[in-house]
Amino acid sequence: MIRIAILDDYANRALESADWSSLEETKIQVFTHHLGHNVDVVADALNAFDVIVAMRERTPFPAALIEKLPNLRLLVTTGMRNLSFDLEVGRRYGVDICGTESLAYPAFEHTWALILALTKQIQFEDRTMKSGGWQQGTGIGLNGKVLGILGLGNLGSKVARVGNAFEMEVIAWSENLNQDRCDQVGRVKYVDKNELFERADIISIHLILSERTRNLIGAAELALMKTCAYLINTSRGPIIDENALLDCLQMQRIAGAAIDVFDVEPLPVEHPYRGLTNMVLTGHTGYVVEELYTYSYNQVIENIRAWMLDKPIRLLNA
């Protein structure tokens, strides 16, 4: 009997998103609550399992955890990239680590949902209406505003094109970006980092977390922003210095921020972000749509079935 753990299924959707009954001679346990970040606690909870299915980076698998899981033989992550998994250590301990393909559009759609929620004051107006009020806030128009994009890859490019559709001026920067790439995307102007922070009315982050991008946006960058500007992050929390952003928002040095990703996830209940009225917060739901659950969990099952036949597919640590 192969024992399978499905982790961090917060919405309890894993089992209904795919046909797990097709995996014969298996026993499946679903964890709907996060196990936390203490390696010993997580190891104790998962010690008995042969296969562990993780949803993105919700539960990291560093060397210290993999070493404490002697029964683990297959580790599956949704997505084909997961920097919170130690692939080399997995290989050393005989653990196959597989991924699944991803959908490209959910995070880009979520970015624009956050931009519109902020600039149109959707949450405030909703609360006003439900409390018996009428038309208390004043939003801003996007037409003619400057949209600054950090990172013009697949997601950033999609965000840029919608900015064009709103007739915004779109500017972009990242360390390796140039005007040729901007021209490939469309009406996008390459600028240096400081100019982007100084000119943009809305800044949206679409960078991969790395040593180069960790704390890329700190007090100095936030100080360059207009007092009427907004900051959006659907990429990775540590790209922004959380303390610097908290101070900036508490002092109302910028108009607001919409954040979907955080240094520690799930976001601690007592985190001061939760008390700010000039923030829109979502719990790393930028990629969480019905279609992704169906797509990803079906490929997870394919991965497990192939592994059971000793023909693993979508290996990340081959």
Side-chain angles (χ1 to χ4, degrees):
M1 180 71 67
I2 295 174
R3 295 155 297 182
I4 300 173
I6 302 174
L7 303 187
D8 298 309
D9 185 18
Y10 303 148
N12 202 17
R13 301 305 306 276
L15 295 183
E16 64 186 64
S17 296
D19 182 14
W20 296 86
S21 67
S22 64
L23 297 175
E24 298 178 355
E25 298 184 7
T26 62
K27 182 178 181 180
I28 299 172
Q29 181 174 341
V30 177
F31 292 81
T32 56
H33 293 89
H34 187 57
L35 293 173
H37 299 278
N38 184 295
V39 169
D40 291 329
V41 171
V42 177
D44 286 344
L46 301 179
N47 187 269
F49 294 97
D50 307 285
V51 177
I52 297 175
V53 178
M55 175 57 74
R56 302 283 292 268
E57 297 92 350
R58 292 176 180 177
T59 295
F61 280 81
L65 177 56
I66 294 174
E67 291 167 355
K68 291 178 179 292
L69 298 172
N71 294 305
L72 181 62
R73 291 293 174 263
L74 175 64
L75 180 57
V76 185
T77 175
T78 55
M80 291 299 291
R81 179 185 178 90
N82 192 327
L83 296 180
S84 73
F85 282 24
D86 194 317
L87 303 184
E88 183 178 344
V89 168
R91 187 186 308 115
R92 188 188 314 154
Y93 280 83
V95 179
D96 288 326
I97 301 179
C98 299
T100 69
E101 297 168 0
S102 298
L103 299 178
Y105 61 83
F108 134 74
E109 292 179 351
H110 197 74
T111 295
W112 275 104
L114 293 177
I115 291 172
L116 292 170
L118 269 178
T119 58
K120 306 305 179 183
Q121 297 198 19
I122 299 299
Q123 288 183 303
F124 175 72
E125 290 296 343
D126 178 68
R127 290 193 299 268
T128 296
M129 291 292 290
K130 289 175 179 176
S131 64
W134 180 261
Q135 201 180 103
Q136 295 296 307
T138 303
I140 65 166
L142 298 179
N143 186 289
K145 295 295 193 300
V146 178
L147 172 63
I149 299 178
L150 293 172
L152 205 60
N154 184 34
L155 294 176
S157 298
K158 292 178 185 293
V159 172
R161 293 186 182 104
V162 174
N164 289 154
F166 277 115
E167 298 186 7
M168 302 179 75
E169 178 185 352
V170 183
I171 61 177
W173 173 86
S174 68
E175 191 164 322
N176 297 316
L177 188 63
N178 55 44
Q179 188 59 51
D180 287 343
R181 169 58 184 164
C182 291
D183 291 339
Q184 292 172 12
V185 173
R187 300 190 306 276
V188 181
K189 179 182 177 183
Y190 170 75
V191 297
D192 66 32
K193 179 182 173 185
N194 283 359
E195 182 178 349
L196 185 141
F197 278 90
E198 290 170 346
R199 292 191 56 213
D201 298 291
I202 297 167
I203 296 175
S204 189
I205 302 168
H206 301 283
L207 298 167
I208 293 171
L209 179 63
S210 68
E211 289 309 308
R212 289 192 303 180
T213 61
R214 187 177 295 274
N215 289 328
L216 179 73
I217 301 174
E221 288 74 22
L222 294 169
L224 294 174
M225 293 177 65
K226 302 175 184 179
T227 56
C228 60
Y230 297 92
L231 180 64
I232 317 293
N233 189 9
T234 57
S235 183
R236 290 295 182 270
I239 293 173
I240 301 175
D241 181 330
E242 268 195 7
N243 290 328
L245 179 58
L246 180 63
D247 180 64
C248 180
L249 292 168
Q250 287 175 331
M251 300 301 292
Q252 299 185 340
R253 297 193 187 104
I254 63 174
I259 306 294
D260 183 52
V261 288
F262 308 91
D263 287 4
V264 176
E265 298 183 358
L267 187 69
V269 173
E270 69 280 3
H271 197 288
Y273 273 180
R274 294 184 186 269
L276 295 180
T277 59
N278 52 354
M279 291 193 84
V280 172
L281 302 176
T282 52
H284 206 152
T285 56
Y287 66 95
V288 180
V289 294
E290 295 278 353
E291 294 83 356
L292 180 128
Y293 278 142
T294 300
Y295 190 70
S296 293
Y297 282 126
N298 272 288
Q299 289 201 356
V300 166
I301 291 172
E302 291 175 2
N303 288 348
I304 296 173
R305 187 183 299 115
W307 173 81
M308 291 169 67
L309 295 172
D310 201 25
K311 297 179 180 179
I313 58 175
R314 304 188 187 99
L315 275 171
L316 303 182
N317 67 335

